[in-house]
Amino acid sequence: MKIRKLDQSEHGKTRSLWEQVFSEDSQEFVDYYYYIKTKDNTIYVIEEDDEIRAMLQLNPYQVKLQESVVPSDYIVGVATQAEYRGRGYMRNLLIHALQDQYSQKMPFTFLMPAAEAIYYPYDFRFVYEQKQIELDEAFFSARKEYKNDEYRNISQERIVDRDARFMDAGKMAAFVEENFSDCWNVVALRNAQYYQTQILEQQSEFGGMRLVFEEEKLVCIYAYAKEEGLEIREPLYLEGKEDLFWASVDGLREPEEKVSVYGLKEAPDWPDDETSTYKEKPLIMIRIVHLQELFSKMKIPSECEIHCSFAVIDPVLHKNSRIWKLSSSKGEESLSVSETEDSQGVLSIAALTEILFGYKTPEEISAEESVILTEELEEELRKLQNFCPIFLNEIV
């Protein structure tokens, strides 16, 4: 068994393994992925008998982390040939990748798991639940009836919508920066390059990025795919412009076609009924990589001061296993981070992930077997400004 990181010129050698393991992906999507995404990603492989038997891919993103922008990798394409499974290849690849990420001082890495149980032993934890809704014909019919002439006016006169072109990427990035930049503490950086890539990705799924205008003003953007029915992803519309969004979606769908919407910014403001099914699905797992670097990006309210210390246990990235001291005085928003010998408690790296990314409270975490928290430490940890809310809807 040989683990190595492929040279960029070798990335295409993994395509046949991708097509074997992820056979549900269309030819168009795989073409997009190997023409675009593998140009700047990292691919680790395990070779046996001079052939690639397993792989793990890291797709780089710039991620907004509170007031900072940090590099982070989206782990995708984790695959092993069927006859070589059960040999620990995935574990070896994952640990190798995490160690390399640590050497780069990457604060965290993330993934969308095929199953939570695969990554749970490596201290990945869910931190983001995606808001999803499925709508049938009755929803759109009821909306038209409720809105009556107003809805028809929207549909026929006020709304102008079209697919985004490559040259629109800067306009889309500016729209999001101006109107939504303060909505989330963890979100992939939405610059022009990001939206150029998204346009190509959605086209590979027989869709596009849709722009909605009102009197020549951009008021909504969303992604859509028509590979298996109409799917809408991450609709972002200005306050009071929701009807324009739904009218645009109505214009895209076929008669009687159901519509699935993923990555809603907010829960719908209408009750769950027979025309729609709403849920919040655990979607993205995060794994802290370089803990000290992550601490350095944290903020606390300037009116607070914090003084605490605790031991962290990380069975994979041992340099995270330290007794950490966090301190900050009133008027300061950043943390001073150092090592100490005095500890007020013990946290696994997984438990700390759930606290720092706002998925669980210190009180909830204190009930776990791997955790020892004094009341004083619980109180101090509550002062930290966690990284919630999170908005990570990327597919690859």
Side-chain angles (χ1 to χ4, degrees), residues 129-134 261-264 267-268 272 276-282:
E129 294 182 353
Q130 187 184 67
K131 296 175 175 64
Q132 304 178 353
I133 193 165
E134 186 170 294
V261 185
Y262 303 103
L264 289 161
D272 200 16
S276 63
T277 305
Y278 174 76
K279 64 181 178 180
E280 297 185 6
K281 178 183 177 181

Side-chain angles (χ1 to χ4, degrees), residues 309-326:
S309 60
F310 50 90
V312 174
I313 307 300
D314 189 334
V316 175
L317 299 172
H318 303 299
K319 291 182 179 179
N320 286 331
S321 296
R322 300 282 188 273
I323 300 177
W324 297 99
K325 180 180 179 181
L326 307 183

Side-chain angles (χ1 to χ4, degrees), residues 3 5 32 50 59 71 74 81 86 119 127 131 134 178 183 196 248 260 264 312:
I3 297 181
K5 182 168 70 173
Y32 152 76
D50 297 322
N59 290 345
Y74 191 4
Q81 278 188 351
Y119 298 97
V127 298
K131 296 175 175 64
E134 186 170 294
E178 180 180 351
C183 293
Q196 287 172 351
S248 175
S260 299
L264 289 161
V312 174

Side-chain angles (χ1 to χ4, degrees), residues 98-159:
L98 287 169
Q99 290 172 340
D100 279 0
Q101 289 172 324
Y102 184 92
S103 70
Q104 299 164 23
K105 292 189 174 182
M106 188 173 290
F108 69 92
T109 188
F110 63 106
L111 54 80
M112 184 190 302
E116 178 185 13
I118 297 173
Y119 298 97
Y120 196 90
Y122 305 100
D123 300 301
F124 286 82
R125 293 294 184 269
F126 277 119
V127 298
Y128 173 58
E129 294 182 353
Q130 187 184 67
K131 296 175 175 64
Q132 304 178 353
I133 193 165
E134 186 170 294
L135 308 162
D136 61 18
E137 173 66 28
F139 168 83
F140 292 95
S141 297
R143 197 168 187 86
K144 289 176 184 177
E145 183 178 347
Y146 174 71
K147 292 294 181 180
N148 207 341
D149 292 337
E150 177 189 351
Y151 191 93
R152 285 194 290 272
N153 183 50
I154 287 173
S155 301
Q156 297 172 6
E157 298 178 18
R158 289 170 54 200
I159 184 170

Side-chain angles (χ1 to χ4, degrees), residues 166-348:
F166 227 52
M167 67 183 69
D168 292 315
K171 179 187 297 184
M172 296 163 71
F175 172 76
V176 173
E177 174 65 26
E178 180 180 351
N179 298 290
F180 302 99
S181 60
D182 296 330
C183 293
W184 308 287
N185 280 327
V186 181
V187 62
L189 189 65
R190 261 67 169 168
N191 54 21
Q193 182 182 358
Y194 176 91
Y195 279 113
Q196 287 172 351
T197 302
Q198 287 299 303
I199 289 169
L200 294 173
E201 184 171 315
Q202 295 307 129
Q203 288 174 348
S204 78
E205 297 184 87
F206 307 98
M209 293 293 304
R210 201 75 170 164
L211 308 182
V212 183
F213 298 87
E214 183 182 34
E215 297 176 354
E216 300 186 357
K217 179 183 178 182
L218 182 61
V219 297
C220 171
I221 65 174
Y222 64 90
Y224 75 95
K226 287 193 168 184
E227 197 168 29
E228 296 179 2
L230 180 58
E231 294 183 353
I232 307 298
R233 297 172 187 162
E234 203 174 276
L236 297 174
Y237 44 81
L238 300 184
E239 186 175 356
K241 306 304 177 184
E242 182 182 3
D243 286 340
L244 294 177
F245 161 64
W246 288 118
S248 175
V249 172
D250 197 12
L252 278 180
R253 71 186 186 91
E254 300 294 332
E256 306 298 323
E257 183 177 33
K258 289 186 176 181
V259 178
S260 299
V261 185
Y262 303 103
L264 289 161
K265 179 175 173 286
E266 298 171 340
D269 59 0
W270 63 83
D272 200 16
D273 58 23
E274 66 275 5
T275 70
S276 63
T277 305
Y278 174 76
K279 64 181 178 180
E280 297 185 6
K281 178 183 177 181
L283 189 76
I284 296 294
M285 301 180 85
I286 276 180
R287 210 281 184 195
I288 292 175
V289 178
H290 198 288
L291 180 55
Q292 187 166 5
E293 191 68 16
L294 185 70
F295 278 145
S296 73
K297 308 302 180 187
M298 296 207 74
K299 302 293 180 183
I300 66 166
S302 58
E303 67 273 13
C304 294
E305 60 178 74
I306 184 171
H307 299 283
C308 65
S309 60
F310 50 90
V312 174
I313 307 300
D314 189 334
V316 175
L317 299 172
H318 303 299
K319 291 182 179 179
N320 286 331
S321 296
R322 300 282 188 273
I323 300 177
W324 297 99
K325 180 180 179 181
L326 307 183
S327 59
S328 180
S329 301
K330 285 186 178 179
E332 298 177 349
E333 293 187 347
S334 58
L335 285 172
S336 173
V337 183
S338 60
E339 293 183 41
T340 185
E341 296 181 354
D342 301 319
S343 174
Q344 298 167 292
V346 179
L347 287 160
S348 67

